[in-house]
């Protein structure tokens, strides 16, 4: 056994273990949610010119605006009788649904799981606190109280951060959609439509 841990009292080791569990409990959903945010951030890059679309296409990266552009182009070429407003609205809805399923819902799931995890950490910390009161151990009482408070604070901060990330992703998505419907890209779409 490691000499450092053999000299620590059992109560301090127990408090440290519970602290690590509460940190991991709040940290894992935050980490997974933040990874989804980073993927969503890459998918909601703004591509404002045809050259940027071509560059994204050649690099193998498929941002949502590029997918929207390809769906619009395909829809205009395959169904020239459809109203352009209808095609644009249907394409916008398609991209919004794709964004919702791939980024918004999973990010919300991870952010919404954090407050209950913080509450579980608080409950565990309070249980250890009550045990330490029975044992009259001040070290364990301080450790248990710190676990109870830190788990709640970490979970609430993680919740607020992930919700802020979700709002930021939605704003970026709206900018991407507006970029696709920009005047330059609309002109390129009409050229593609005429050539088809």
């Amino acid at each position: 056994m490691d000499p450092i841990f053999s000299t620590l009292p059992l109560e301090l080791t127990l408090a440290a273990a519970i602290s690590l569990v509460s940190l991991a409990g709040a940290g894992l959903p935050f980490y997974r949610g933040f990874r989804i945010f980073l993927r969503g951030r890459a998918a909601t890059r703004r591509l404002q010119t045809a050259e940027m679309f071509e560059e994204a296409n050649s690099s193998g990266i498929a941002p949502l605006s590029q997918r929207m552009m390809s769906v619009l182009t395909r829809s205009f070429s395959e169904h020239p009788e459809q109203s352009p407003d209808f095609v644009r609205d249907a394409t916008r809805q398609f991209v919004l649904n794709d964004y919702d399923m791939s980024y918004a819902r999973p990010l919300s799931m991870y952010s919404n799981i954090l407050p209950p995890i913080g509450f579980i950490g608080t409950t565990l910390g309070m249980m250890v606190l009550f045990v330490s009161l029975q044992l009259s151990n001040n070290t364990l009482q301080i450790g248990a109280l710190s676990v109870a408070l830190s788990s709640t604070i970490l979970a609430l901060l993680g919740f607020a951060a992930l919700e802020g990330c979700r709002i930021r992703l939605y704003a970026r998505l709206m900018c991407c959609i507006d970029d696709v419907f920009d005047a330059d890209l609309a002109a390129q779409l009409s050229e593609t439509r005429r050539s088809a």
Side-chain angles (χ1 to χ4, degrees):
M1 185 176 233
D2 195 0
I4 294 174
F5 291 112
S6 63
T7 58
L8 289 177
L10 178 64
E11 297 86 10
L12 191 59
T13 306
L14 180 63
I18 292 173
S19 295
L20 288 176
V21 167
S22 72
L23 262 170
L28 184 64
F30 178 76
Y31 170 75
R32 303 261 327 223
F34 193 71
R35 282 188 48 199
I36 290 172
F37 166 71
L38 292 178
R39 282 196 318 255
R41 190 168 182 266
T44 56
R45 283 191 323 253
R46 296 181 73 174
L47 303 175
Q48 298 169 335
T49 63
E51 292 81 24
M52 293 172 81
F53 277 101
E54 292 302 320
E55 181 183 318
N57 193 25
S58 66
S59 68
I61 301 167
L64 290 172
S65 56
Q66 182 188 12
R67 281 190 257 168
M68 184 174 181
M69 186 72 174
S70 67
V71 168
L72 269 174
T73 305
R74 193 171 58 238
S75 297
F76 278 136
S77 64
E78 291 176 3
H79 304 288
E81 73 280 355
Q82 288 292 337
S83 162
D85 291 334
F86 173 77
V87 172
R88 285 180 178 168
D89 187 49
T91 304
R92 174 189 273 257
Q93 197 59 41
F94 172 77
V95 169
L96 284 172
N97 287 342
D98 188 21
Y99 163 80
D100 189 46
M101 293 299 292
S102 299
Y103 305 106
R105 285 185 185 182
L107 195 55
S108 287
M109 180 194 68
Y110 285 119
S111 68
N112 289 332
I113 203 169
L114 281 170
I117 287 175
F119 181 69
I120 289 170
T122 301
T123 305
L124 287 173
M126 296 306 285
M127 286 172 42
V128 172
L129 179 66
F130 292 141
V131 168
S132 67
L133 286 174
Q134 187 69 22
L135 297 174
S136 298
N137 189 325
N138 290 336
T139 306
L140 190 57
Q141 289 174 12
I142 292 171
L145 193 55
S146 70
V147 167
L149 296 176
S150 65
S151 64
T152 303
I153 289 170
L154 289 174
L156 291 178
L157 287 175
F159 171 78
L162 288 181
E163 283 298 305
C165 289
R166 188 176 59 84
I167 291 168
R168 177 71 182 134
L169 271 185
Y170 185 76
R172 286 174 60 99
L173 175 70
M174 290 298 111
C175 288
C176 287
I177 289 173
D178 291 342
D179 287 347
V180 171
F181 291 139
D182 228 2
D184 293 335
L185 294 177
Q188 293 169 10
L189 272 178
S190 62
E191 281 180 30
T192 306
R193 186 177 177 192
R194 273 186 251 134
S195 65

